[in-house]
Structure formats: structure tokens, C-alpha cells
């Protein structure tokens, strides 16, 4: 299948969570043998209109990532000339969704729009126009699906597809050192690691160990808080780690704690739960993490440091695991099949119009 991905900026321009998700989908579908093209602003040095990189063809719609008007004016004609089977557009910025819709119409191809929602979904004129474009709208979680519907999207065309993980990669990694609790996230103002530290402080009279994976501007403040709470001798801040190292940590840990205030899809938590961890989630209105543990006997939802501490104690009664096949549905092969099913359904529907 020849797939046209549309995103004015990419991970090669800015390494954002939204762009990481979009790039992951490109690569997953490429790995499943499809002809993947990405229409974006130029990020390579020479003046050639296209770039072949890692079996993905990048098309320079404009030379400047900030030239949004020029991008939107040229995109429909570039898509019409590309001979693609499906157009798959990033919803940010929403003006490009309207242009991608025109291009899909000219190309006589269905349009799928990816609403990732990192940073929220704006409530403005262009966003509301964009939510009404596309034959299918894909979100990473029910949280983002709700935001998109609230901005005017037809709920019948909204589908939820999670971020993918690699089950075989998890199985291939040797479990790391045994610890009771692991936390993993960039340590910035949204990490909310203090909730976990305060919960652990409630248990300072018990025997436990914790690993904190990640780095960021708030790391020093969190290390001071752990010292002030007199629990720093049992918490190891290991900084940034590679995916292999993180998987090893998850396979060695008993509990993964998720306390971040904003999270459209808890990818690290998904890796950890598939690696056998019990999941403990502090509920927040702008986080979808609780969706991963709802109705699961090895998952806990909490709303306070006291409840979090109680959940850690209760989790201690559950068996230690190094893998959990409950999360096989999040494997990249399954996610690829879900996208392809959407594409084929849209093609069938499009052929009837």
C-alpha cells in the first residue's frame, strides 16, 4: 500500500512526543512492507525535492517549517500528483488538516487524521474546522478522543489506537536488579514525582527500594525532597537510560508508579506492565494512564499519597512477574494491523462514494 503521511514538522525538526508518535507509525508501517511517503518541510541540506532515508521517502513541500501558508497551498497538488492509496495527516497544526483534506479529495484517496493531543487540544476556529475533516480520526486514548469530540468531531469516526511497544524485545532483555518500585519519566514540572516520594515516606518504617529513571530540570529538587523526607538512602536516581536498560529495570521491578499530571498515553508504563510490573496510577484529569489498569487485578488507581502508599503495600501480596501477555495487544504488529484495517475499511467505503 502506498501511504502519504502529512506533517509539516517531524522528529527531524523537533523531537516532540507528538512527532515521536507520528514517526513510530511511519516506521511500523514501513517495517510491514508498505511504501511510506512523508510530506513535510525540508530538513535536509541539499536542494533535492525528496530524500530517501531508512526506506521512507520524504517530500519537501516547503523549505521552511514556519511557512505554514505556503505548505497548505502546495500540499493538495503534491498529494494529487503522488498517486497514493491513503492520506494520513498529523492534526498539528490544524490548518494542515484542511489542506490534507483538499489533497486527499484531489488524489481520490481517503483521509485519516492523527490527533495525538500532547499539550491538549485547542478550542479555536481552525481546530473545530479540522475535527470535522477526515474519514477517520485516530487518538491514542479515550481521554484524547473525548477532547476531540468536545471540539466537534463526529464520535462515529473517532478510533483509539495506542502507542505500540515491542513484545519480542521485552522477552529478549535480561531482567535487571530486583527493586520494589520503579518510576520513569522526564523530571520536569509535570513529573509530579513528589506524590510518589510522599507516599514512600509513609512507608519509611518498612523495607523497600526504588529506582527513578529519567533526568530533567527538576531532578535536583526531587533529590533534595527525598533527602528531606529521610528516604534518599533507598531511592536511586539513575538518570536517562536506553530503552534496553529501561526494560531491564522494569523486568526487575515489582511495581511501576505513574503519577504525572498530564499524559495522553503512558508509553513507558505500557512497556513496564508488559514487563511484568504491577501498575499504580495516581489519577489526574489530564492523564489517560488509568485507562491501562481499569478492570485489571494487577492495577491500582489512587487519588492521594496515602492511597498510593496503601496500594504499594497491597501490591506486595501479588506475585512477581517478568512478563505479562495481557499487553500483547499493544505490540507493534497488532497496532500496524489496526491501522491497516482502518485503511482498508476506508478504501472500501471510499470506493462506494
Amino acid at each position: 500500500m502506498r501511504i502519504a503521511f502529512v506533517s509539516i514538522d517531524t522528529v527531524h525538526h523537533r523531537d516532540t512526543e507528538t512527532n515521536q508518535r507520528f514517526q513510530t507509525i511511519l516506521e511500523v508501517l514501513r517495517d510491514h512492507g508498505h511504501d511510506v511517503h512523508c510530506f513535510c518541510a525540508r530538513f535536509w541540506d541539499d536542494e533535492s525535492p525528496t530524500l530517501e532515508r531508512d526506506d521512507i521517502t520524504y517530500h519537501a513541500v516547503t523549505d521552511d517549517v514556519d511557512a505554514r501558508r505556503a505548505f497548505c497551498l502546495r500540499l493538495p497538488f503534491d498529494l494529487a500528483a503522488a498517486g497514493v492509496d491513503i492520506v494520513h495527516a498529523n492534526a498539528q497544526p490544524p490548518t494542515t488538516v484542511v489542506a490534507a483534506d483538499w489533497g486527499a479529495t484531489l488524489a481520490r484517496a481517503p483521509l485519516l487524521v492523527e490527533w495525538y493531543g500532547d499539550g491538549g487540544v485547542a478550542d479555536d476556529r481552525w481546530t473545530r474546522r479540522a475535527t470535522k475533516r477526515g474519514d477517520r480520526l485516530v487518538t491514542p486514548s479515550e481521554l484524547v478522543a473525548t477532547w476531540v469530540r468536545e471540539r466537534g468531531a463526529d464520535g462515529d469516526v473517532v478510533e483509539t489506537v495506542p502507542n505500540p511497544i515491542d513484545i519480542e524485545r521485552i522477552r529478549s532483555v535480561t531482567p535487571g536488579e530486583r527493586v520494589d518500585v520503579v518510576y520513569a519519566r522526564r523530571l520536569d514540572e509535570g513529573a509530579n514525582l513528589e506524590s510518589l516520594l510522599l507516599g514512600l515516606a509513609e512507608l519509611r518504617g518498612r523495607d523497600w527500594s526504588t529506582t527513578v529513571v529519567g533526568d530533567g530540570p527538576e531532578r535536583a529538587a526531587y533529590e533534595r525532597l527525598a533527602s528531606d523526607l529521610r528516604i534518599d538512602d533507598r531511592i536511586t536516581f539513575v538518570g536517562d537510560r536506553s530503552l534496553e536498560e529501561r526494560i531491564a529495570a522494569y523486568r526487575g521491578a515489582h511495581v511501576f508508579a505513574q503519577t504525572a499530571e498530564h499524559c495522553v498515553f503512558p508509553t513507558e508504563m505500557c512497556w513496564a506492565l508488559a514487563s511484568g510490573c504491577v501498575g499504580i496510577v495516581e489519577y489526574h484529569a489530564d492523564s489517560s494512564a488509568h485507562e491501562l489498569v481499569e478492570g485489571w487485578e494487577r492495577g491500582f488507581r489512587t487519588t492521594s499519597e496515602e492511597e498510593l502508599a496503601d496500594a504499594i503495600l497491597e501490591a506486595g501480596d501479588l506475585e512477581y512477574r517478568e512478563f505479562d501477555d495481557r499487553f500483547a495487544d499493544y505490540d507493534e504488529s497488532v497496532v500496524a494491523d489496526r491501522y491497516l484495517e482502518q485503511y482498508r475499511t476506508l478504501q472500501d467505503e471510499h470506493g462506494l462514494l
Side-chain angles (χ1 to χ4, degrees):
M1 187 178 295
R2 190 175 176 90
I3 308 168
F5 286 88
V6 175
S7 183
I8 189 169
D9 70 337
T10 68
V11 291
H12 306 293
H13 298 92
R14 295 184 303 135
D15 190 20
T16 65
E17 189 175 337
T18 296
N19 288 344
Q20 289 170 3
R21 154 83 173 208
F22 207 67
Q23 186 71 20
T24 296
I25 302 308
L26 265 74
E27 294 173 358
V28 165
L29 292 168
R30 172 206 62 194
D31 292 345
H32 282 72
H34 297 279
D35 186 11
V36 173
H37 296 253
C38 181
F39 292 78
C40 58
R42 186 190 309 276
F43 58 84
W44 52 98
D45 293 332
D46 62 55
E47 296 300 316
S48 61
T50 62
L51 171 71
E52 295 280 345
R53 175 179 287 186
D54 300 326
D55 294 323
I56 296 173
T57 304
Y58 294 90
H59 299 255
V61 181
T62 60
D63 292 330
D64 185 353
V65 73
D66 293 320
R68 294 184 178 183
R69 177 178 171 81
F71 185 91
C72 291
L73 290 173
R74 285 189 55 184
L75 178 66
F77 303 101
D78 287 357
L79 290 175
V84 297
D85 299 306
I86 194 89
V87 178
H88 187 145
N90 184 352
Q92 295 301 322
T95 50
T96 62
V97 175
V98 178
D101 189 32
W102 294 339
T105 299
L106 292 175
R108 298 184 177 181
L111 172 65
L112 183 148
V113 183
E114 192 84 32
W115 288 88
Y116 190 64
D118 185 35
V121 175
D123 188 7
D124 56 37
R125 179 171 61 93
W126 278 107
T127 299
R128 288 188 170 274
R129 286 185 65 182
T131 60
K132 295 177 174 63
R133 305 296 180 100
D135 301 289
R136 193 74 82 244
L137 312 184
V138 171
T139 69
S141 60
E142 287 301 323
L143 172 71
V144 182
T146 298
W147 292 344
V148 172
R149 287 192 294 266
E150 289 174 346
R151 302 300 182 263
D154 179 354
D156 291 337
V157 302
V158 178
E159 296 286 341
T160 298
V161 180
N163 287 352
I165 59 175
D166 187 342
I167 293 298
E168 288 307 312
R169 191 169 188 178
I170 292 173
R171 290 182 181 275
S172 70
V173 174
T174 302
E177 180 183 357
R178 290 284 295 268
V179 297
D180 297 292
V181 181
V182 64
Y183 173 100
R185 190 190 184 279
R186 174 171 165 76
L187 301 182
D188 55 21
E189 66 279 359
N192 193 32
L193 178 58
E194 60 266 30
S195 286
L196 175 60
L197 298 180
L198 291 169
L200 291 170
E202 298 279 333
L203 306 174
R204 68 166 59 87
R206 296 177 178 267
D207 184 24
W208 51 263
S209 59
T210 294
T211 296
V212 175
V213 180
D215 210 338
E218 298 301 315
R219 175 175 174 174
Y222 287 130
E223 289 177 332
R224 286 194 299 272
L225 177 59
S227 177
D228 292 343
L229 294 171
R230 294 180 288 112
I231 56 174
D232 55 309
D233 58 326
R234 285 179 282 176
I235 298 178
T236 303
F237 289 80
V238 299
D240 289 332
R241 288 292 184 266
S242 68
L243 178 58
E244 298 288 322
E245 292 170 318
R246 300 198 307 273
I247 293 172
Y250 303 153
R251 298 198 78 185
H254 187 56
V255 168
F256 183 94
Q258 172 83 15
T259 59
E261 295 174 350
H262 179 86
C263 179
V264 294
F265 185 82
T267 308
E268 285 301 313
M269 184 178 182
C270 192
W271 283 102
L273 301 188
S275 299
C277 287
V278 176
I280 297 179
V281 176
E282 184 176 66
Y283 177 81
H284 295 285
D286 289 335
S287 172
S288 71
H290 62 279
E291 296 176 22
L292 274 188
V293 300
E294 285 179 343
W296 184 43
E297 69 278 3
R298 288 173 63 83
F300 299 84
R301 287 178 53 177
T302 68
T303 58
S304 67
E305 290 82 13
E306 292 79 9
E307 288 184 5
L308 194 152
D310 291 341
I312 292 173
L313 288 179
E314 191 173 344
D317 295 329
L318 300 175
E319 68 172 344
Y320 165 78
R321 295 179 182 175
E322 296 177 357
F323 181 74
D324 197 320
D325 59 8
R326 169 189 170 93
F327 297 91
D329 286 347
Y330 294 87
D331 185 66
E332 59 185 26
S333 63
V334 178
V335 171
D337 286 343
R338 291 185 62 180
Y339 273 108
L340 292 171
E341 180 183 358
Q342 293 296 328
Y343 293 165
R344 293 177 182 125
T345 298
L346 292 178
Q347 285 183 309
D348 290 343
E349 293 173 353
H350 204 73
L352 297 174
L353 296 180

